[in-house]
Every structure is written in structure tokens, then in C-alpha cells.
Amino acid sequence: MKFSKISIIIGTQKGGTSSLFNYLSQHPQVSKSKMKETDFFLKDGKWGKGIDYYENLYAWDLNKHLTALEASPNYTRSLNNVRKVIQRMKTVDIRYKFIYILRDPVQKIESMRKQGIYQGWYAKHLAKETPNSLPLNVIESVSYAAIVDAFTRNFSREQILLLKTDELKKDVISMTLKCKICPFLEIEPSFEFSLGKIHNSKNSYRTDTIWHYLREAKYLNPLKNIFPDSIKNNARNVLARPLMNQDQGKVPPLTDAQKDFIRAMLKDDSHRLETEYSLDISNWDLN
């Protein structure tokens, strides 16, 4: 490998991985992958291209970079994915650092369902839902302690940093980067990140919004850097709303019984997050 350390944001989906990837990509000691989600250790076709293909996803500069960076939340979408990814990672002689962002499980599933139904991939899961339960593979995606267990069994506990989405909020992200993330990645914590831009915000996956049309309009590219982030963020909040409520009747909200099912299924897992991994989840909707 032309680089000796890779830092991987392993999830969770809809947890803030895009924002953190884009923030860390600004750091001069970080070499980001050409695309945020390489999925190299998961997708058979990419893995089959070999390690040279993976190395070439990074513009590595030995004189300034201390770590490569990717963010592939699909790595932790299921326990099967986790096992497959870890098995492959262990065959590559490189030093790994993992960042796992955890979001309130009920909120995460609600958000995942909306995006997945719109994009089509959640339909098979929706067909297996009942008014009182969800498919077990959906629960797996938020079985955080079980997923962390798999990584700590195969790598050291010191190689994984657990964060909550609350720690990426606008009013605290600067301190989180300086006091937690940069020291963990062993990069200079005094670097001043630009934190004004919203990344992968609500409805950003949708194509039926005015914001999508403006973003894709190449003739508007010269104007994109004229306006400050504060104005662009305010415009995004308004213009990223769907033009038509296409989800009407398509995305049934979680029932109270389904929410109770999530809480019951995760009771032991959540308890271990607190006791074994010292994570304060008292503000999660688990009661």
C-alpha cells in the first residue's frame, strides 16, 4: 500500500456521514477518496479489481498526508455486510481507524424508510413489515453494540471511535472535531474547518425538488461561489422540499407498536452500548 493508514467512516446511514466526510476532507493531512462511498471492501466487483484500484482512488502525497479517508455506511447496513467487510479488511496490511456515528434507532429507521421507499430499495423490506413488527435485517442495521462487537473482536478497541449524531450538530461540531476526531485520527487538531455548508441534508436524495434542478444546472456553476453558505443553506431548506408529495400513501409512518418492537428488540443491545462502550444514549427514544 502506498499509504499506511486508512480512516473509514463506517456508518450509520442517515447519521451524518456525508457531513463528517466533507469536513475532514478539508484537512491538509487527509487524502480523501475520489468518491465518498468507495464500498471497496463490500462490493464484489470493486474488491475484484484489487488493491491497486483502491490505492488509485486517492491522490496520496507522502509529504503531507497522514491518513486516507473514505465513508461507506453500507459497510454496517447489516451484520452480513460487517462480517464480509471485516474478513476482507484483515487481508490488507494497513492500519485502520474506524468512526461509527450512531443515531437514535427509531429516528434512523424512520429516515431510512423514507429514503429507501423513494429510491425503491426498501420495497422488499416494506413488504415484510406488519403493523406490530419490522424485518429483522432492519433491526440489524441499528444493532449498534453487535456491530461494534464485531469490529472490536477483530481490531483493537482503540481503533474505533463512537460518536452520536448530536456531536455533529452545528453548535458543537467544531469542538467535536478538535477534541475527539482529530486526536483520534492523529491529525493536527488546530486546523480551522469551514463548517457553514449543509451536506446531504433532508430530502437531498430526491430529484423532484427545485434545489435538485438548480444544483444540476451546469450553466449556474459560475454563480455557486458568489453567495455565502448562510444564504445557500437557507435557500436549500426551502427549495429542497419535494414539488409533489410523492410519498403520500407510500411511506406509512411507523406505528406505535412498531416503535415498541424496535425498543424491545434493542433493549439488550442498547444496554450494552451504555455499560460496555460508555455511550450516553439517555436522549434516545428508547422508553
Side-chain angles (χ1 to χ4, degrees), residues 10-212:
I10 56 174
T12 185
Q13 290 178 308
K14 311 307 295 178
T17 59
S18 293
S19 291
L20 185 55
F21 176 80
N22 282 284
Y23 294 151
L24 288 174
S25 295
Q26 301 170 21
H27 201 292
Q29 294 175 322
V30 171
S31 176
K32 69 172 184 176
S33 56
K34 292 179 180 179
M35 72 286 288
K36 171 204 163 195
E37 301 183 30
T38 75
D39 283 336
F40 174 71
F41 295 100
L42 177 63
K43 302 293 186 181
D44 294 342
K46 292 188 175 183
W47 176 253
K49 293 180 180 180
I51 203 66
D52 289 343
Y53 160 80
Y54 187 59
E55 288 182 331
N56 288 330
L57 296 179
Y58 301 88
W60 182 263
D61 185 337
L62 183 63
N63 295 317
K64 69 175 183 178
H65 292 142
L66 297 180
T67 184
L69 174 73
E70 68 156 294
S72 296
N74 284 330
Y75 289 167
T76 55
R77 179 180 279 189
S78 71
L79 289 174
N80 280 337
N81 283 12
V82 169
R83 287 187 283 266
K84 183 177 185 179
V85 163
I86 289 175
Q87 183 181 32
R88 288 175 171 176
M89 285 178 174
K90 292 178 70 175
T91 68
V92 179
D93 184 18
I94 194 170
R95 184 182 174 204
Y96 293 99
K97 289 276 189 171
F98 304 107
I99 299 177
Y100 194 17
I101 308 168
L102 309 183
R103 182 180 181 183
D104 180 307
V106 174
Q107 294 179 6
K108 191 263 186 181
I109 289 175
E110 287 178 323
S111 181
M112 180 183 71
R113 288 168 82 250
K114 287 181 181 179
Q115 178 174 345
I117 290 172
Y118 175 78
Q119 295 178 333
W121 56 264
Y122 193 83
K124 59 184 179 182
H125 302 304
L126 187 65
K128 297 178 182 178
E129 289 187 8
T130 75
N132 301 314
S133 68
L134 297 173
L136 293 183
N137 52 359
V138 173
I139 300 299
E140 271 192 9
S141 70
V142 288
S143 297
Y144 300 133
I147 290 170
V148 176
D149 288 344
F151 279 90
T152 56
R153 279 196 303 268
N154 291 276
F155 305 96
S156 73
R157 176 67 182 88
E158 289 69 31
Q159 286 176 265
I160 185 166
L161 175 65
L162 303 183
L163 297 173
K164 296 192 302 177
T165 51
D166 294 351
E167 297 178 271
L168 303 183
K169 288 183 177 179
K170 184 177 180 180
D171 56 338
V172 296
I173 178 59
S174 180
M175 190 61 66
T176 302
L177 284 162
K178 181 177 181 179
C179 297
K180 280 193 172 184
I181 300 173
C182 287
F184 173 72
L185 298 182
E186 300 171 293
I187 57 178
E188 179 54 55
S190 63
F191 176 75
E192 293 294 329
F193 293 91
S194 175
L195 304 173
K197 185 177 180 180
I198 295 175
H199 299 281
N200 201 17
S201 60
K202 183 178 180 181
N203 292 323
S204 62
Y205 58 87
R206 301 193 65 125
T207 57
D208 58 331
T209 67
I210 295 175
W211 186 261
H212 173 79

Side-chain angles (χ1 to χ4, degrees), residues 134 136 139 143 260-270:
L134 297 173
L136 293 183
I139 300 299
S143 297
D260 288 341
F261 177 79
I262 296 171
R263 298 179 186 113
M265 293 295 293
L266 295 176
K267 184 177 180 179
D268 291 341
D269 189 271
S270 299

